[in-house]
Amino acid sequence: MAIINDHFLKLQAGYLFPEINRRVNAFIQAHPEAAPRLIRCGIGDVTEPLPQAAIEAMHEAVDDLATHERFHGYGPEQGYFWLREAIAKKAYQVHGIHVEVDEIFVSDGAKCDTGNILDIFGRGNRIAVPDPVYPVYVDTNVMAGNTGEAREDGSYEGLVYLPCTPENNFVPDLPQEHVDLIYLCFPNNPTGAVASRMELLKWVEYARANHAIILYDSAYEAFIQDPDVPRSIFEIPGARDCAIEFRSFSKQGGFTGVRCGYVVIPKELNGHDADGNKVPISRLWSRRTSTKFNGASYIVQRGAAALFTLEGMAQTDVLISHYLGNAALLLNACRQAGMRVWGGENAPYVWAACPDGLDSWGLFDKMLTEANVVITPGSGFGSKGEGFFRISAFNSRENVEEVCRRIHALFAQ
Amino acid sequence: MAIINDHFLKLQAGYLFPEINRRVNAFIQAHPEAAPRLIRCGIGDVTEPLPQAAIEAMHEAVDDLATHERFHGYGPEQGYFWLREAIAKKAYQVHGIHVEVDEIFVSDGAKCDTGNILDIFGRGNRIAVPDPVYPVYVDTNVMAGNTGEAREDGSYEGLVYLPCTPENNFVPDLPQEHVDLIYLCFPNNPTGAVASRMELLKWVEYARANHAIILYDSAYEAFIQDPDVPRSIFEIPGARDCAIEFRSFSKQGGFTGVRCGYVVIPKELNGHDADGNKVPISRLWSRRTSTKFNGASYIVQRGAAALFTLEGMAQTDVLISHYLGNAALLLNACRQAGMRVWGGENAPYVWAACPDGLDSWGLFDKMLTEANVVITPGSGFGSKGEGFFRISAFNSRENVEEVCRRIHALFAQ
């Protein structure tokens, strides 16, 4: 009798985005006249065309595959050298950050990587996640059997939740107890918060003292404008002993539909086997990659490499500036409407406290039905997200300006 | 202390293809004059340009991403409807095989799928694999903790090996004991064997009687020419209750570097939870896909869909005929040289018994040093592969003809 992975049965049915879609569809069915007015600022998906450098490189790559001479079959599972080298040089070394070519593992995206990384860790690790949190961190741990059952509020037994609140500026405090794996994400999804060097140093010191590993998600790194905000965990002294970094071209280059990301695992990083012996994490991840992955598409890797050319970098800057300009407008509109707001400065998300005593879904419904704007209820990201909502800056300027007008009309006194 | 997955430590260091590369490199270093003569018929990687229909569709898709109007961000994790529909209609329904659109899950390749599928199964299943076998089936089970330690001969405690030998024409007999998960692959890698309807029916009946699930890898389905050879496990009555099918565009369309495959999970297929309750497998895989995957690249999916157009199908036929023509030449050359041979007729691999009393690596070394041809030693695929070798038909016609001449010169009396 084929036995299923029972841990899947612990997963909560009401996943955030399906519930949002359900409410939106119900509203549109009841009010079809509102459909053309609807503006979606929910899901964090890019809307603008890709940088021209990536477009041209991908056309060339497709043409290569039409020839005998430049045909590319299976590539290295860990990624082509020319892409790994471009990443090492242009995403790290140029900023003075020590990352080597063979510490980079190219993939089809950070969502896959942050999920798959659990393959190389054993059972019995104590795992800490922020609250609110990107749901993938939690759900993949549920699937892997690293949690107990779900509680009433949607949290899971066995995980250590790190509250992110206005009091700590949405940068979690160190846990009071010992943990082994720590998920951190800056610039943060959903709150848009960034961590300072001092705050990250505190976490690195905690991890080193506890032989813990930080799983550092910097998928939104490209949005960092403030030179004092660290772009990588590896800017922090000691991090090479205790951290894995996840990055993505999804937001940097608008690659959400193209699919490319990467993981950085320093050679110094070790886990421990059951006997307490050190085992290099990069050896495990490399083996996992060779066995369960066949490399990202050649076409896609060519597109990603083009983002690091001079033209590619200039075009990426324009793209990032567009979204950050949107974020600034949304931040300002919410503030003008009297809301308490966070994020939106080095991040594409604005995080706001719900006004008028509304809870997250109450605010969602009001925005949907009265302003015809779809936002994301903060409670969907965890119990500490209750009373907040997220607005995504991934949109056209025209739509964002209209959303700002509607927020003003709805809330400004 | 971050604990690693100790099961990784059971994996054998000497993986097949690195060892082949080591020997090839050592030979070339010792005999640099032989380097230009070297012909690689080892790894199963395509060599011919992609069908023009796929090239054109991918150019169009890249152009779409350069516009506002036709931009595509995150797609459905399970694949775009238009690709799933093309697969359902053209790969199944047109052959009279019952597969529905929502039973198809598009991915970035069959290697990922055959590895990742273990996520949804629990521990404690008894698992059967063919011997010789595609190493990914075994290694992913080792990583998942479904085996014991490795034995001297490279096999693992706890797995049930199904011997594939000349006596059973490389189609395994039913196991004497109860198993829960069964890997089958036809046309087979590495032996090129195909299974008849009657043989597959026997397996389906076994699986149904044992509430077992067949993991059916038909990545090489496009090479089937004989109308009596089943193209899909779902041609067999009862298979929808007991089988998952894995397919790939890697060989059909030459997509090894492009990356696209799919899984078919019928709605009727159930596993069992610890309490013996039925749980639909497709629900689990859909949830796994939504949580740990973000869809195959839009560009790649457009390319795959183009393989199902009239032009695409005609061009695919030409590609397949090319490789099958190579296989026929290699099969004939080995036979003429007095070897016992299998496969090569509905498959891109020729499987041959080593002549002259050589073992697999002895034959490998002889072919490398005396004919400057790289083949794959059968023992690399499992203990029952000892005494055999695999020649891949993925090459140019010119190279294959030269390999045939060298085999003749080396072995023909």
mmCIF file of all heavy atoms in Angstrom, chain B residues 266-291:
data_model
loop_
_atom_site.group_PDB
_atom_site.id
_atom_site.type_symbol
_atom_site.label_atom_id
_atom_site.label_comp_id
_atom_site.label_asym_id
_atom_site.label_seq_id
_atom_site.Cartn_x
_atom_site.Cartn_y
_atom_site.Cartn_z
ATOM 1 N N PRO B 266 -3.565 10.716 -12.891
ATOM 2 C CA PRO B 266 -5.018 10.586 -13.070
ATOM 3 C C PRO B 266 -5.773 10.911 -11.780
ATOM 4 O O PRO B 266 -5.258 10.687 -10.679
ATOM 5 C CB PRO B 266 -5.198 9.105 -13.426
ATOM 6 C CG PRO B 266 -3.860 8.620 -13.848
ATOM 7 C CD PRO B 266 -2.869 9.443 -13.077
ATOM 8 N N LYS B 267 -6.987 11.421 -11.963
ATOM 9 C CA LYS B 267 -7.802 11.784 -10.790
ATOM 10 C C LYS B 267 -8.131 10.578 -9.922
ATOM 11 O O LYS B 267 -8.325 10.706 -8.723
ATOM 12 C CB LYS B 267 -9.104 12.437 -11.256
ATOM 13 C CG LYS B 267 -8.890 13.777 -11.903
ATOM 14 C CD LYS B 267 -10.218 14.503 -12.080
ATOM 15 C CE LYS B 267 -10.037 15.736 -12.951
ATOM 16 N NZ LYS B 267 -9.769 15.389 -14.371
ATOM 17 N N GLU B 268 -8.199 9.395 -10.536
ATOM 18 C CA GLU B 268 -8.561 8.185 -9.773
ATOM 19 C C GLU B 268 -7.450 7.694 -8.862
ATOM 20 O O GLU B 268 -7.673 6.796 -8.040
ATOM 21 C CB GLU B 268 -8.895 7.025 -10.728
ATOM 22 C CG GLU B 268 -10.130 7.218 -11.566
ATOM 23 C CD GLU B 268 -9.828 7.856 -12.910
ATOM 24 O OE1 GLU B 268 -9.023 8.820 -12.950
ATOM 25 O OE2 GLU B 268 -10.403 7.403 -13.905
ATOM 26 N N LEU B 269 -6.246 8.214 -9.037
ATOM 27 C CA LEU B 269 -5.096 7.639 -8.318
ATOM 28 C C LEU B 269 -5.059 8.111 -6.863
ATOM 29 O O LEU B 269 -4.999 9.312 -6.599
ATOM 30 C CB LEU B 269 -3.791 8.027 -9.014
ATOM 31 C CG LEU B 269 -2.524 7.434 -8.378
ATOM 32 C CD1 LEU B 269 -2.502 5.920 -8.532
ATOM 33 C CD2 LEU B 269 -1.273 8.060 -8.974
ATOM 34 N N ASN B 270 -5.063 7.162 -5.950
ATOM 35 C CA ASN B 270 -5.002 7.478 -4.526
ATOM 36 C C ASN B 270 -3.793 6.828 -3.871
ATOM 37 O O ASN B 270 -3.376 5.741 -4.258
ATOM 38 C CB ASN B 270 -6.250 6.948 -3.809
ATOM 39 C CG ASN B 270 -7.493 7.720 -4.186
ATOM 40 O OD1 ASN B 270 -7.570 8.927 -3.961
ATOM 41 N ND2 ASN B 270 -8.458 7.031 -4.782
ATOM 42 N N GLY B 271 -3.252 7.507 -2.866
ATOM 43 C CA GLY B 271 -2.356 6.875 -1.911
ATOM 44 C C GLY B 271 -3.121 6.689 -0.622
ATOM 45 O O GLY B 271 -4.327 6.973 -0.557
ATOM 46 N N HIS B 272 -2.445 6.244 0.406
ATOM 47 C CA HIS B 272 -3.112 6.035 1.682
ATOM 48 C C HIS B 272 -2.367 6.762 2.791
ATOM 49 O O HIS B 272 -1.138 6.770 2.807
ATOM 50 C CB HIS B 272 -3.180 4.543 2.002
ATOM 51 C CG HIS B 272 -4.141 3.808 1.117
ATOM 52 N ND1 HIS B 272 -3.802 3.353 -0.149
ATOM 53 C CD2 HIS B 272 -5.456 3.480 1.301
ATOM 54 C CE1 HIS B 272 -4.859 2.770 -0.691
ATOM 55 N NE2 HIS B 272 -5.876 2.830 0.154
ATOM 56 N N ASP B 273 -3.124 7.365 3.696
ATOM 57 C CA ASP B 273 -2.470 7.978 4.856
ATOM 58 C C ASP B 273 -2.240 6.912 5.925
ATOM 59 O O ASP B 273 -2.561 5.730 5.720
ATOM 60 C CB ASP B 273 -3.265 9.190 5.371
ATOM 61 C CG ASP B 273 -4.583 8.813 6.017
ATOM 62 O OD1 ASP B 273 -4.799 7.623 6.323
ATOM 63 O OD2 ASP B 273 -5.408 9.725 6.228
ATOM 64 N N ALA B 274 -1.643 7.338 7.043
ATOM 65 C CA ALA B 274 -1.237 6.376 8.063
ATOM 66 C C ALA B 274 -2.443 5.608 8.625
ATOM 67 O O ALA B 274 -2.294 4.484 9.106
ATOM 68 C CB ALA B 274 -0.500 7.096 9.187
ATOM 69 N N ASP B 275 -3.627 6.221 8.543
ATOM 70 C CA ASP B 275 -4.824 5.546 9.055
ATOM 71 C C ASP B 275 -5.514 4.698 7.985
ATOM 72 O O ASP B 275 -6.598 4.153 8.223
ATOM 73 C CB ASP B 275 -5.830 6.582 9.580
ATOM 74 C CG ASP B 275 -5.243 7.388 10.720
ATOM 75 O OD1 ASP B 275 -4.435 6.821 11.495
ATOM 76 O OD2 ASP B 275 -5.565 8.586 10.829
ATOM 77 N N GLY B 276 -4.884 4.629 6.792
ATOM 78 C CA GLY B 276 -5.465 3.814 5.737
ATOM 79 C C GLY B 276 -6.505 4.535 4.904
ATOM 80 O O GLY B 276 -7.152 3.922 4.052
ATOM 81 N N ASN B 277 -6.682 5.838 5.132
ATOM 82 C CA ASN B 277 -7.628 6.593 4.309
ATOM 83 C C ASN B 277 -7.027 6.903 2.953
ATOM 84 O O ASN B 277 -5.828 7.177 2.845
ATOM 85 C CB ASN B 277 -7.978 7.929 4.982
ATOM 86 C CG ASN B 277 -8.564 7.737 6.358
ATOM 87 O OD1 ASN B 277 -9.484 6.952 6.531
ATOM 88 N ND2 ASN B 277 -8.004 8.436 7.339
ATOM 89 N N LYS B 278 -7.887 6.900 1.934
ATOM 90 C CA LYS B 278 -7.421 7.260 0.601
ATOM 91 C C LYS B 278 -7.183 8.768 0.487
ATOM 92 O O LYS B 278 -7.998 9.561 0.980
ATOM 93 C CB LYS B 278 -8.458 6.853 -0.447
ATOM 94 C CG LYS B 278 -8.538 5.360 -0.659
ATOM 95 C CD LYS B 278 -9.507 5.029 -1.775
ATOM 96 C CE LYS B 278 -9.540 3.520 -2.004
ATOM 97 N NZ LYS B 278 -10.504 3.161 -3.058
ATOM 98 N N VAL B 279 -6.104 9.132 -0.169
ATOM 99 C CA VAL B 279 -5.806 10.545 -0.433
ATOM 100 C C VAL B 279 -5.434 10.669 -1.910
ATOM 101 O O VAL B 279 -4.556 9.954 -2.391
ATOM 102 C CB VAL B 279 -4.631 11.045 0.434
ATOM 103 C CG1 VAL B 279 -4.380 12.524 0.179
ATOM 104 C CG2 VAL B 279 -4.878 10.781 1.912
ATOM 105 N N PRO B 280 -6.103 11.583 -2.654
ATOM 106 C CA PRO B 280 -5.786 11.733 -4.079
ATOM 107 C C PRO B 280 -4.350 12.231 -4.271
ATOM 108 O O PRO B 280 -3.956 13.251 -3.708
ATOM 109 C CB PRO B 280 -6.785 12.789 -4.572
ATOM 110 C CG PRO B 280 -7.847 12.857 -3.526
ATOM 111 C CD PRO B 280 -7.199 12.470 -2.233
ATOM 112 N N ILE B 281 -3.601 11.485 -5.063
ATOM 113 C CA ILE B 281 -2.202 11.832 -5.310
ATOM 114 C C ILE B 281 -2.095 13.174 -6.039
ATOM 115 O O ILE B 281 -1.189 13.968 -5.767
ATOM 116 C CB ILE B 281 -1.517 10.715 -6.126
ATOM 117 C CG1 ILE B 281 -1.428 9.433 -5.283
ATOM 118 C CG2 ILE B 281 -0.155 11.139 -6.617
ATOM 119 C CD1 ILE B 281 -0.491 9.510 -4.104
ATOM 120 N N SER B 282 -3.023 13.451 -6.939
ATOM 121 C CA SER B 282 -2.913 14.699 -7.708
ATOM 122 C C SER B 282 -3.090 15.918 -6.802
ATOM 123 O O SER B 282 -2.503 16.960 -7.056
ATOM 124 C CB SER B 282 -3.917 14.731 -8.862
ATOM 125 O OG SER B 282 -5.219 14.812 -8.360
ATOM 126 N N ARG B 283 -3.870 15.772 -5.744
ATOM 127 C CA ARG B 283 -4.027 16.901 -4.813
ATOM 128 C C ARG B 283 -2.698 17.193 -4.128
ATOM 129 O O ARG B 283 -2.297 18.347 -3.964
ATOM 130 C CB ARG B 283 -5.106 16.553 -3.768
ATOM 131 C CG ARG B 283 -5.719 17.778 -3.119
ATOM 132 C CD ARG B 283 -6.747 17.386 -2.063
ATOM 133 N NE ARG B 283 -6.113 17.092 -0.798
ATOM 134 C CZ ARG B 283 -6.660 16.357 0.173
ATOM 135 N NH1 ARG B 283 -7.859 15.825 0.006
ATOM 136 N NH2 ARG B 283 -6.018 16.159 1.293
ATOM 137 N N LEU B 284 -2.003 16.142 -3.723
ATOM 138 C CA LEU B 284 -0.713 16.318 -3.045
ATOM 139 C C LEU B 284 0.317 16.931 -3.995
ATOM 140 O O LEU B 284 1.058 17.837 -3.632
ATOM 141 C CB LEU B 284 -0.200 14.974 -2.530
ATOM 142 C CG LEU B 284 -1.077 14.258 -1.499
ATOM 143 C CD1 LEU B 284 -0.492 12.885 -1.192
ATOM 144 C CD2 LEU B 284 -1.202 15.089 -0.229
ATOM 145 N N TRP B 285 0.359 16.415 -5.224
ATOM 146 C CA TRP B 285 1.364 16.917 -6.176
ATOM 147 C C TRP B 285 1.057 18.362 -6.571
ATOM 148 O O TRP B 285 1.959 19.183 -6.733
ATOM 149 C CB TRP B 285 1.436 16.019 -7.414
ATOM 150 C CG TRP B 285 2.521 16.429 -8.359
ATOM 151 C CD1 TRP B 285 2.380 16.936 -9.604
ATOM 152 C CD2 TRP B 285 3.943 16.368 -8.118
ATOM 153 N NE1 TRP B 285 3.612 17.199 -10.162
ATOM 154 C CE2 TRP B 285 4.587 16.865 -9.275
ATOM 155 C CE3 TRP B 285 4.726 15.959 -7.028
ATOM 156 C CZ2 TRP B 285 5.983 16.953 -9.373
ATOM 157 C CZ3 TRP B 285 6.106 16.042 -7.134
ATOM 158 C CH2 TRP B 285 6.721 16.534 -8.292
ATOM 159 N N SER B 286 -0.224 18.682 -6.683
ATOM 160 C CA SER B 286 -0.595 20.048 -7.022
ATOM 161 C C SER B 286 -0.161 20.998 -5.911
ATOM 162 O O SER B 286 0.393 22.073 -6.167
ATOM 163 C CB SER B 286 -2.105 20.140 -7.239
ATOM 164 O OG SER B 286 -2.438 21.408 -7.728
ATOM 165 N N ARG B 287 -0.356 20.575 -4.673
ATOM 166 C CA ARG B 287 0.041 21.420 -3.540
ATOM 167 C C ARG B 287 1.556 21.553 -3.471
ATOM 168 O O ARG B 287 2.099 22.623 -3.238
ATOM 169 C CB ARG B 287 -0.500 20.824 -2.233
ATOM 170 C CG ARG B 287 -0.223 21.671 -0.999
ATOM 171 C CD ARG B 287 -0.930 23.029 -1.096
ATOM 172 N NE ARG B 287 -0.371 24.012 -0.186
ATOM 173 C CZ ARG B 287 -0.956 24.446 0.930
ATOM 174 N NH1 ARG B 287 -2.145 24.024 1.255
ATOM 175 N NH2 ARG B 287 -0.361 25.336 1.696
ATOM 176 N N ARG B 288 2.263 20.460 -3.711
ATOM 177 C CA ARG B 288 3.725 20.483 -3.726
ATOM 178 C C ARG B 288 4.207 21.455 -4.807
ATOM 179 O O ARG B 288 5.116 22.262 -4.597
ATOM 180 C CB ARG B 288 4.248 19.071 -3.998
ATOM 181 C CG ARG B 288 5.716 18.854 -3.730
ATOM 182 C CD ARG B 288 6.559 18.987 -4.993
ATOM 183 N NE ARG B 288 7.970 18.965 -4.663
ATOM 184 C CZ ARG B 288 8.871 19.708 -5.304
ATOM 185 N NH1 ARG B 288 8.537 20.511 -6.293
ATOM 186 N NH2 ARG B 288 10.135 19.649 -4.945
ATOM 187 N N THR B 289 3.561 21.373 -5.961
ATOM 188 C CA THR B 289 3.948 22.213 -7.093
ATOM 189 C C THR B 289 3.699 23.688 -6.786
ATOM 190 O O THR B 289 4.545 24.538 -7.059
ATOM 191 C CB THR B 289 3.167 21.764 -8.351
ATOM 192 O OG1 THR B 289 3.476 20.393 -8.591
ATOM 193 C CG2 THR B 289 3.535 22.576 -9.568
ATOM 194 N N SER B 290 2.544 23.999 -6.197
ATOM 195 C CA SER B 290 2.236 25.392 -5.871
ATOM 196 C C SER B 290 3.204 25.961 -4.841
ATOM 197 O O SER B 290 3.517 27.147 -4.864
ATOM 198 C CB SER B 290 0.819 25.514 -5.290
ATOM 199 O OG SER B 290 -0.128 25.192 -6.265
ATOM 200 N N THR B 291 3.667 25.122 -3.946
ATOM 201 C CA THR B 291 4.464 25.602 -2.820
ATOM 202 C C THR B 291 5.956 25.645 -3.128
ATOM 203 O O THR B 291 6.662 26.520 -2.663
ATOM 204 C CB THR B 291 4.221 24.709 -1.587
ATOM 205 O OG1 THR B 291 2.825 24.699 -1.319
ATOM 206 C CG2 THR B 291 4.967 25.213 -0.368
#
